[in-house]
Amino acid sequence: MAHTKTVTRVSTQVGIVGAGPAGLLLAHLLHLRGIESVVLEARSRDYVENRLRAGVLEQGTADLLTATGLGERMRRQGLVHDGIFLRFAGRSHRIDFRELTGKAILVYGQHEVVRDLVAARLAYGGPLRFDVDGVRVEGLTSHRPTIRFRDASREEVELTCDFIAGCDGFHGVCRPSIPPSAIHFFEREFPFAWLGILAEAPPSSTELVYAHHERGFALLSMRSPTVSRLYLQCAPNEDLGDWSDDRIWSELRTRLATRDGFALKDGPILQRGITPMRGFVAEPMRFGRLFLAGDAAHIVPPTGAKGLNLAVADVQWLAEALGAFFRSGDETLLEQYSARCLQRVWKAERFSSWMTAMLHRVTGQSDYDYRVQLAELDYIASSKSAQATLAENYVGLPFS
């Protein structure tokens, strides 16, 4: 006799696919509004909590985390930066965010944000399932869409929801579940990448340094008073095996050098990897009762430090819209969600693309274009108005 496969059927108000910062923060914001959710994640908890990503929080992001009870460890360990340095032609020029905008940024690793969110989720007992497999989203235009998956014990589960939030990243299952005729993609691949390292070395600067050099871009960042994060522009198909520790440090010293003898502090390299540079936007960010948020809907080149912050803006607005619906049945904000998010997304794409074009060398670049880059940098260094434009975008445009 054939055995019938047992399926466990459960329901919730909002099914959230993806336990990155977008999915976890959305779950937290919904919890504060008394809205139930279930968070599903294909990876393990250890992987999610230790996956290194960007660590620059806009003023609005840091304020939101604090206001929603997630800021205790961030306030203790995060590094407040009141500006950044632009470095070109052997000289550094500081952009004073505090003076220009009254705001600052906070350096606090994305994996640390995720750890805080996981801890908060578990503290109030919100359903959070890691190591799920075979996720499928179905019935997206019905009033009760479904998420089917196998849990960590490989049991088949059918989760029925009022809404589904696709927070499962660029390679997730939610966006591809939208019919091709219902969504448009805007993409740009940049002809270079970043070779990034995490090093056990004290930061060589009190604030981030964005360096333009004839050999290519370099970025000096940090994770803590004892750990540095540094990047080098490289080819997209770069072989990490060709980059020894000595070669990496030598190239960083060359590109970050100044005429007044800047000294780069080095140390053991803990991690290294290649980060591709791309821009991507999916429009609209909604199909039926599926809402996309974060990297599932958009990718920005990392030069402007906008990825995590865009995800935070998305889910803040989505939580507000879902809150209005569950309070009164009003779908106005849900209908406005995509357009509202995309207005901010495209401004972030513009800013990130501008920063990228200004700071990176392109293979075959003409002397003319190189001189234009230097002129652009010199204009920013000498103009308070130009600095104010950069600062306003970097610290973060208002969420509302």
Side-chain angles (χ1 to χ4, degrees):
M1 178 182 292
H3 293 281
T4 302
K5 184 178 293 186
T6 301
V7 177
T8 300
R9 291 178 171 82
V10 292
S11 65
T12 190
Q13 291 174 287
V14 183
I16 300 173
V17 184
L24 290 167
L25 180 57
L26 175 60
H28 184 72
L29 297 175
L30 294 177
H31 167 71
L32 296 178
R33 290 169 167 83
I35 300 169
E36 296 178 355
S37 65
V38 174
V39 182
L40 307 174
E41 171 57 48
R43 303 280 193 166
S44 68
R45 178 181 176 182
D46 180 72
Y47 178 89
V48 167
E49 291 189 332
N50 292 286
R51 174 176 46 187
L52 290 180
R53 290 292 187 271
V56 174
L57 307 185
E58 295 175 355
Q59 178 84 58
T61 296
D63 290 347
L64 177 65
L65 295 176
T66 298
T68 54
L70 298 165
E72 180 183 352
R73 203 165 64 94
M74 178 186 71
R75 289 194 301 273
R76 285 189 283 108
Q77 298 182 11
L79 306 174
V80 177
H81 288 194
D82 291 328
I84 60 170
F85 290 99
L86 293 182
R87 185 170 294 178
F88 62 97
R91 290 193 173 93
S92 283
H93 307 267
R94 186 168 183 267
I95 311 299
D96 191 327
F97 295 160
R98 186 74 69 180
E99 176 190 341
L100 293 161
T101 69
K103 299 178 182 179
I105 59 169
L106 187 71
V107 176
Y108 187 63
Q110 178 171 310
H111 65 289
E112 302 292 0
V113 175
V114 168
R115 288 173 184 173
D116 296 339
L117 286 163
V118 169
R121 181 75 174 171
L122 297 178
Y124 61 75
L128 174 54
R129 300 198 186 201
F130 293 101
D131 297 303
V132 304
D133 187 28
V135 175
R136 306 184 307 282
V137 294
E138 302 173 351
L140 300 178
T141 58
S142 71
H143 288 294
R144 295 286 285 170
T146 300
I147 307 175
R148 301 179 189 276
F149 63 95
R150 291 184 295 274
D151 66 13
S153 65
R154 303 283 74 91
E155 179 184 9
E156 296 282 342
V157 181
E158 179 182 290
L159 174 65
T160 303
C161 323
D162 292 304
F163 298 96
I164 297 174
C167 304
D168 50 344
F170 183 77
H171 299 289
V173 302
C174 288
R175 190 184 66 249
S177 299
I178 299 174
S181 61
I183 193 166
H184 301 280
F185 303 124
F186 302 87
E187 301 179 71
R188 180 182 178 186
E189 294 286 340
F190 290 84
F192 40 75
W194 281 6
L195 191 164
I197 65 166
L198 193 72
E200 193 175 323
S204 304
S205 170
T206 55
E207 295 171 331
L208 278 70
V209 177
Y210 285 78
H212 175 280
H213 191 272
E214 61 184 8
R215 293 178 62 86
F217 169 75
L219 172 61
L220 189 162
S221 183
M222 60 283 295
R223 284 293 175 267
S224 75
T226 60
V227 176
S228 292
R229 184 75 163 153
L230 301 111
Y231 297 92
L232 287 166
Q233 178 186 343
C234 65
N237 58 350
E238 202 75 52
D239 184 350
L240 272 178
D242 293 336
W243 286 85
S244 66
D245 289 13
D246 287 343
R247 183 186 176 192
I248 289 172
W249 288 116
S250 175
E251 193 65 27
L252 284 167
R253 280 191 288 269
T254 297
R255 298 190 194 183
L256 290 166
T258 61
R259 297 179 184 181
D260 58 1
F262 169 79
L264 179 66
K265 300 171 185 175
D266 60 21
I269 296 177
L270 306 175
Q271 293 187 12
R272 71 190 75 202
I274 302 291
T275 300
M277 302 283 282
R278 68 162 67 97
F280 171 84
V281 180
E283 291 191 15
M285 291 170 55
R286 175 190 184 179
F287 177 73
R289 294 215 162 193
L290 169 66
F291 293 81
L292 302 177
D295 287 358
H298 42 72
I299 299 286
V300 290
T303 322
K306 292 292 162 229
L308 169 61
N309 297 290
L310 281 179
V312 170
D314 289 349
V315 298
Q316 184 194 29
W317 289 334
L318 183 52
E320 181 184 350
L322 290 168
F325 174 83
F326 285 114
R327 277 195 314 272
S328 65
D330 186 353
E331 296 193 35
T332 302
L333 292 180
L334 289 173
E335 292 167 355
Q336 295 174 352
Y337 169 75
S338 182
R340 191 180 188 189
C341 289
L342 288 168
Q343 187 176 40
R344 182 182 176 90
V345 166
W346 279 115
K347 288 177 181 176
E349 295 282 353
R350 181 208 68 83
F351 174 67
S352 299
S353 295
W354 172 72
M355 287 276 287
T356 300
M358 179 174 63
L359 290 162
H360 291 73
R361 299 298 310 274
V362 179
T363 301
Q365 183 180 39
S366 69
D367 291 340
Y368 178 93
D369 288 337
Y370 178 60
R371 292 290 184 174
V372 168
Q373 280 184 320
L374 291 174
E376 178 84 357
L377 288 161
D378 187 53
Y379 172 61
I380 294 170
S382 58
S383 168
K384 284 292 184 183
S385 296
Q387 291 174 22
T389 296
L390 190 156
E392 180 185 36
N393 282 272
Y394 202 101
V395 301
L397 300 174
F399 280 176
S400 58

